[in-house]
Amino acid sequence: MEEENNLSSRQPKTMRVKYDESVDLSSNTMIMFEKHFGILDMEQDTQAYTLPKPESMFTEPPWQLDKLQEIKRDLNEVKSRLNNFNLSKWQQHTNRMNGAGDIVRTVKENIQAELVTQAWCKFYEIASNFSLVPLNEIFRGVDGKKFRSVHLCEAPGAFVAALNHWLKTNASDVQWDWLATTLNPYCEGNSYDSMVADDRFIRHTLEHWCFGADNTGDILNLRNLDDLVEKSKSLDGGRILLVTADGSIDCTNVPGEQESTVAQLHLCETVACMQLLHKGGNFLLKLFTLFEHQSVCLMYLLSCIFHQVSVTKPASSKGGNSEMYVVCMNFKGRDYVAPYLRILRHYYGNVPPTNAMFSLRDIPDAFLQRLEQCSKFFKFHQCQVIENNIRTFHIQESSYKILFFEILILKQEINAKYLKDCRLSKMDPANEIVGREIIERNNNQFVNKKLHVDSYNERCKKQDSGPQERLSQIWDNAKEIKWPSKKFYVWHLQILPEELEIKMGKSFNKVRSSRFCDLTILQILNKIDNVMQDMHSTVCFPPAEFTKELAQQIDPSHEVLSFQFVQDYDSHQTIIKIYDRLEKLQSDQTLVLVGYSLLTQLNIGLLYLLGNFFENIIVEIHDNEGYRLKLQAYRRNEKVLNYFREILTASHNACKENMAIWSIIPVTVLYECDQLPVVMLLNHLMIKLYARHVINMISGKKL
């Protein structure tokens, strides 16, 4: 145990490796396990780096280093050769060529751990190569063997699950508690492009997740950071000795500027760490390339506030991408960084500072040289993988079969080495957080959905297309949506909760994600919305003429309440509209809802409450307007009316703070409703009909 507790005893042998352009990966396939580069080790380096005075930060314009820009150009030149490749076919090819591509499957089959993903394997590999869990600091603490960790940008929760497995099989006597944050997968204002929607683990561990003051989970919001820091104080004793940050931003459409795109996120993650971590703790941060002033300054900041800083690319990370992890060990403490936090908090947020964090003259030449060597080292290995994949993409089928057989043998060797080097062993299922079987049993439609399949150049060409052409391309996908098999459905929604569970969050006016619609189908709606915004145009759906006809044709004893399925979403007005109508309804009247969206938790929750006023709800399918919800035989129910009054009061109060009610019944309860499959079909139908209606209106043609 003493050897395990020593911080320096488990550093990789290649930590101090120097870049060598003569390395031939074809003759040394195991190099993928040795992609580590030491930036700083105060136990071995004679020179410690020091921060300049706080008042000098963010005072000088952005700068560039010619040598780093040259490395960037070389890398982008290689990456640009992929611009014409169909993304789906390219990913399929690189997955086959990836010698480490079967590690996840191997761990699943042999170790049977919970939530095993590529992120799980990357974290476990890093934890096995470095003393990421600071056991020496944990055992030194006055609070016994208590250990606390906070995980930023953590969805779906694989780092947490991997850490739990590592602790239970390597340090079972450590008492661990954790807190995580991520973009809230239940926030319908969060887009799929920006978040990981997979909630198989999250839904069972919600008490460990903090989505911030506005409930969005946006770590770029300073109020959300402060809320996270406050929540972290409620962790059961112990010090926070590990912070991880696995955040990224979808850069598929700007592959050459990935680093600049994610730079502000990485700065905010680092500032969050500085406020959360205790002295002696460790920080794991995902970065990409290190060419721009933002990354150079960030790496220098980390090298000044930690005793050891290393950059590593795990074997389980796909070799052709720019992803790498910065392992920062032995934090100097909050007292040390306190003078700098005020200025860093000033530049915290989603708007990057216009100036560089540090002046170039404040960063030692020795550090810049080390960073240049590091950039060369990782660029070299990445380019070799990409060039090898390009060479093999178009080879003949007969040659491909031979190559594929060789790769299968290589994969077996790599799988065995991974299991051995990580010292992986099975864990008692009783020690799992949620349980592998429970997670795997959850049929989650949001797992591994690919939203981009075209090549980069094809996507650029589509963006340059005119509105009608873009809509036509969208319709090619929308017309494949299946029509419901029945003309009507009968629902009995009369389950009444003991009490409401009102959840509020940041107000939003567009539904960018939904738990009640297939991810790729909702993307169709978002794409149409983008086209309409570019055209500065709106189209009503259901069309106003259908609503007028309905009002004239319907039984006079029926009350019609009309909504717009796709107009700006306004939860407050929806609540007011329904409550006002309920107060005026007479016994036995039928209420008909037209255009009522079933995309949001709130709307479905309200429909559940409405079900307690009526004998049943008939869902009628109509060719042009989608569905109508016919609520039959009204009976006044004071208990449920009081619920509506409570909701209305809460909504009024929320509006005063630019907030809105998101839900009144937990989404985990709505997941279990018998009507969920039909609800999804109805939403799909409305999106298909809306797409058709928009194209008819814009083009003047009848589809």
Side-chain angles (χ1 to χ4, degrees):
M1 198 62 149
E2 186 176 332
E3 182 182 333
E4 284 188 9
N5 291 347
N6 188 288
L7 277 169
S8 60
S9 64
R10 286 170 60 184
Q11 300 308 320
K13 293 176 182 177
T14 52
M15 180 62 89
R16 311 294 294 177
V17 70
K18 292 187 178 178
Y19 170 74
D20 181 2
E21 292 199 3
S22 66
V23 173
D24 181 6
L25 282 179
S26 63
S27 64
N28 185 10
T29 56
M30 295 307 161
I31 191 70
M32 64 175 62
F33 286 95
E34 299 178 343
K35 293 179 184 176
H36 318 294
F37 198 98
I39 301 294
L40 168 75
D41 186 344
M42 286 183 64
E43 293 184 8
Q44 298 182 37
D45 292 337
T46 56
Q47 180 182 0
Y49 300 123
T50 56
L51 287 168
K53 292 181 179 180
E55 55 268 24
S56 70
M57 296 172 68
F58 300 106
T59 58
E60 299 208 7
W63 42 262
Q64 289 185 335
L65 290 170
D66 292 341
K67 291 181 179 178
L68 290 179
Q69 290 300 308
E70 185 180 342
I71 300 169
K72 176 184 176 179
R73 283 192 293 273
D74 290 346
L75 175 60
N76 281 345
E77 190 279 322
V78 174
K79 288 165 70 175
S80 68
R81 299 178 206 170
L82 309 178
N83 288 350
N84 286 315
F85 284 74
N86 176 279
L87 191 56
S88 181
K89 291 178 180 178
W90 174 253
Q91 287 177 340
Q92 186 180 28
H93 170 66
T94 56
N95 287 339
R96 285 183 177 181
M97 291 295 297
N98 181 14
D102 282 351
I103 286 177
V104 173
R105 180 184 58 79
T106 300
V107 172
K108 282 183 178 179
E109 291 176 356
N110 289 274
I111 307 303
Q112 297 177 348
E114 64 178 334
L115 200 63
V116 175
T117 64
Q118 193 175 28
W120 193 104
C121 294
K122 288 185 292 188
F123 179 91
Y124 208 95
E125 187 177 346
I126 295 169
S128 301
N129 281 332
F130 298 83
S131 297
L132 191 60
V133 179
L135 294 177
N136 57 344
E137 193 64 36
I138 292 169
F139 293 137
R140 187 185 298 142
V142 295
D143 46 12
K145 297 176 182 178
K146 290 185 176 180
F147 165 50
R148 305 296 172 254
S149 61
V150 176
H151 306 271
L152 313 175
C153 306
E154 173 56 15
F159 275 19
V160 171
L163 175 56
N164 179 60
H165 195 100
W166 191 94
L167 287 168
K168 295 300 189 295
T169 55
N170 289 274
S172 58
D173 51 348
V174 170
Q175 300 168 41
W176 172 56
D177 198 7
W178 59 278
L179 189 66
T181 187
T182 199
L183 282 171
N184 190 343
Y186 307 121
C187 171
E188 287 134 351
N190 284 341
S191 73
Y192 290 123
D193 288 337
S194 65
M195 71 175 176
V196 176
D198 180 359
D199 74 330
R200 290 171 299 158
F201 181 81
I202 294 172
R203 70 172 82 167
H204 298 287
T205 56
L206 275 171
E207 69 277 8
H208 286 278
W209 294 81
C210 172
F211 298 120
D214 66 3
N215 213 10
T216 63
D218 183 4
I219 195 64
L220 297 177
N221 183 320
L222 188 58
R223 287 181 62 233
N224 289 344
L225 169 60
D226 290 341
D227 189 63
L228 175 66
V229 172
E230 191 61 33
K231 290 274 196 330
S232 70
K233 295 174 184 176
S234 66
L235 286 173
D236 178 28
R239 298 164 296 158
I240 295 170
L241 290 174
L242 177 63
V243 174
T244 67
D246 199 32
S248 185
I249 294 171
D250 183 6
C251 299
T252 313
N253 292 326
V254 282
E257 295 301 327
Q258 183 178 39
E259 181 181 334
S260 298
T261 304
V262 297
Q264 186 63 11
L265 171 62
H266 293 153
L267 174 62
C268 291
E269 288 173 323
T270 302
V271 175
C273 167
M274 292 166 68
Q275 291 201 225
L276 289 161
L277 199 61
H278 279 66
K279 188 175 182 179
N282 297 340
F283 179 40
L284 180 64
L285 171 67
K286 176 161 74 177
L287 290 181
F288 295 94
T289 48
L290 305 171
F291 305 139
E292 310 297 346
H293 70 89
Q294 297 99 322
S295 300
V296 175
C297 290
L298 186 65
M299 288 297 292
Y300 186 64
L301 173 65
L302 292 170
S303 298
C304 290
I305 65 177
F306 286 89
H307 287 271
Q308 289 180 330
V309 177
S310 310
V311 183
T312 183
K313 184 172 183 66
S316 43
S317 172
K318 210 167 180 181
N321 64 33
S322 298
E323 173 188 79
M324 52 191 175
Y325 287 86
V326 186
V327 185
C328 308
M329 301 173 68
N330 197 355
F331 182 48
K332 293 181 181 178
R334 295 177 194 170
D335 290 343
Y336 183 83
V337 302
Y340 300 90
L341 274 175
R342 184 187 61 80
I343 186 84
L344 286 167
R345 283 173 59 85
H346 179 75
Y347 289 99
Y348 195 98
N350 56 16
V351 180
T354 53
N355 287 335
M357 187 192 307
F358 300 123
S359 166
L360 185 55
R361 64 178 174 273
D362 286 332
I363 303 177
D365 288 341
F367 175 84
L368 297 175
Q369 290 169 9
R370 193 73 188 149
L371 213 60
E372 180 191 340
Q373 292 170 352
C374 179
S375 294
K376 278 187 178 180
F377 176 78
F378 287 103
K379 186 271 294 187
F380 170 73
H381 290 303
Q382 183 181 357
C383 287
Q384 279 215 330
V385 172
I386 295 173
E387 288 167 341
N388 189 45
N389 285 336
I390 291 173
R391 279 195 300 272
T392 55
F393 188 72
H394 294 297
I395 61 173
Q396 295 179 349
E397 186 64 25
S398 57
S399 300
Y400 197 91
K401 287 180 180 178
I402 297 170
L403 176 64
F404 192 55
F405 179 73
E406 292 175 352
I407 292 171
L408 286 177
I409 295 173
L410 171 63
K411 284 183 176 182
Q412 291 173 1
E413 294 175 3
I414 290 170
N415 294 341
K417 181 172 175 58
Y418 180 89
L419 293 176
K420 181 182 177 184
D421 287 2
C422 293
R423 301 177 294 283
L424 268 162
S425 59
K426 287 185 179 180
M427 182 178 73
D428 184 342
N431 288 324
E432 293 174 338
I433 298 173
V434 173
R436 178 176 58 89
E437 292 185 2
I438 293 172
I439 291 172
E440 291 178 358
R441 196 162 58 234
N442 285 326
N443 180 18
N444 197 312
Q445 52 163 321
F446 300 97
V447 180
N448 298 326
K449 286 274 190 174
K450 301 296 183 186
L451 302 182
H452 304 290
V453 293
D454 301 323
S455 72
Y456 171 72
N457 284 343
E458 286 171 334
R459 291 196 304 278
C460 290
K461 187 177 178 181
K462 284 182 178 180
Q463 284 300 112
D464 293 335
S465 303
Q468 289 197 23
E469 189 177 349
R470 286 165 65 189
L471 287 171
S472 176
Q473 292 162 355
I474 294 168
W475 176 247
D476 286 342
N477 293 319
K479 68 184 179 184
E480 301 299 323
I481 297 172
K482 292 180 180 177
W483 200 270
S485 58
K486 297 181 180 180
K487 277 289 184 183
F488 71 92
Y489 301 86
V490 179
W491 289 348
H492 298 280
L493 305 182
Q494 294 172 341
I495 301 171
L496 193 62
E498 286 298 319
E499 59 182 24
L500 296 177
E501 211 173 290
I502 298 175
K503 294 277 185 187
M504 291 185 288
K506 182 181 178 182
S507 179
F508 60 90
N509 61 7
K510 289 293 179 186
V511 176
R512 297 297 182 190
S513 60
S514 171
R515 313 309 294 184
F516 312 102
C517 181
D518 184 273
L519 182 154
T520 52
I521 293 177
L522 192 69
Q523 285 294 91
I524 291 172
L525 183 62
N526 289 335
K527 287 176 181 177
I528 294 174
D529 187 54
N530 291 339
V531 174
M532 301 303 284
Q533 280 185 339
D534 291 345
M535 294 177 64
H536 306 289
S537 177
T538 57
V539 172
C540 293
F541 188 78
E545 59 266 27
F546 292 141
T547 308
K548 271 185 190 173
E549 287 177 17
L550 174 63
Q552 293 167 357
Q553 298 170 3
I554 203 159
D555 188 316
S557 67
H558 292 184
E559 284 282 327
V560 179
L561 201 51
S562 298
F563 299 85
Q564 282 294 305
F565 182 79
V566 293
Q567 238 176 13
D568 285 357
Y569 178 69
D570 189 332
S571 61
H572 186 60
Q573 287 304 314
T574 299
I575 293 166
I576 290 174
K577 207 169 181 178
I578 292 174
Y579 176 74
D580 285 350
R581 192 56 58 95
L582 284 174
E583 284 282 27
K584 296 171 184 174
L585 279 179
Q586 303 296 315
S587 288
D588 291 327
Q589 273 195 299
T590 293
L591 179 64
V592 181
L593 305 183
V594 179
Y596 185 78
S597 170
L598 297 174
L599 288 171
T600 66
Q601 303 162 65
L602 175 65
N603 279 22
I604 294 176
L606 291 173
L607 192 62
Y608 259 82
L609 289 189
L610 281 171
N612 290 276
F613 290 101
F614 300 89
E615 284 186 6
N616 56 46
I617 298 174
I618 296 177
V619 184
E620 296 179 346
I621 309 298
H622 294 267
D623 291 349
N624 291 318
E625 69 187 76
Y627 59 81
R628 296 176 193 167
L629 300 174
K630 191 177 286 187
L631 290 74
Q632 294 184 316
Y634 176 69
R635 292 284 185 274
R636 191 175 177 89
N637 184 323
E638 284 301 327
K639 181 177 180 179
V640 185
L641 273 173
N642 284 334
Y643 276 166
F644 267 97
R645 292 183 189 110
E646 183 184 343
I647 294 166
L648 186 59
T649 300
S651 186
H652 276 296
N653 292 334
C655 287
K656 295 173 186 175
E657 300 178 21
N658 194 30
M659 301 277 276
I661 292 181
W662 284 4
S663 67
I664 55 175
I665 297 174
V667 68
T668 48
V669 174
L670 298 179
Y671 271 150
E672 306 301 323
C673 71
D674 295 336
Q675 292 76 24
L676 182 60
V678 177
V679 166
M680 294 187 72
L681 279 175
L682 295 175
N683 283 326
H684 298 169
L685 169 67
M686 292 296 274
I687 290 171
K688 178 175 184 174
L689 293 179
Y690 171 63
R692 187 181 71 182
H693 180 65
V694 167
I695 292 170
N696 287 343
M697 294 293 291
I698 300 299
S699 66
K701 298 177 183 177
K702 188 91 171 168
L703 289 177

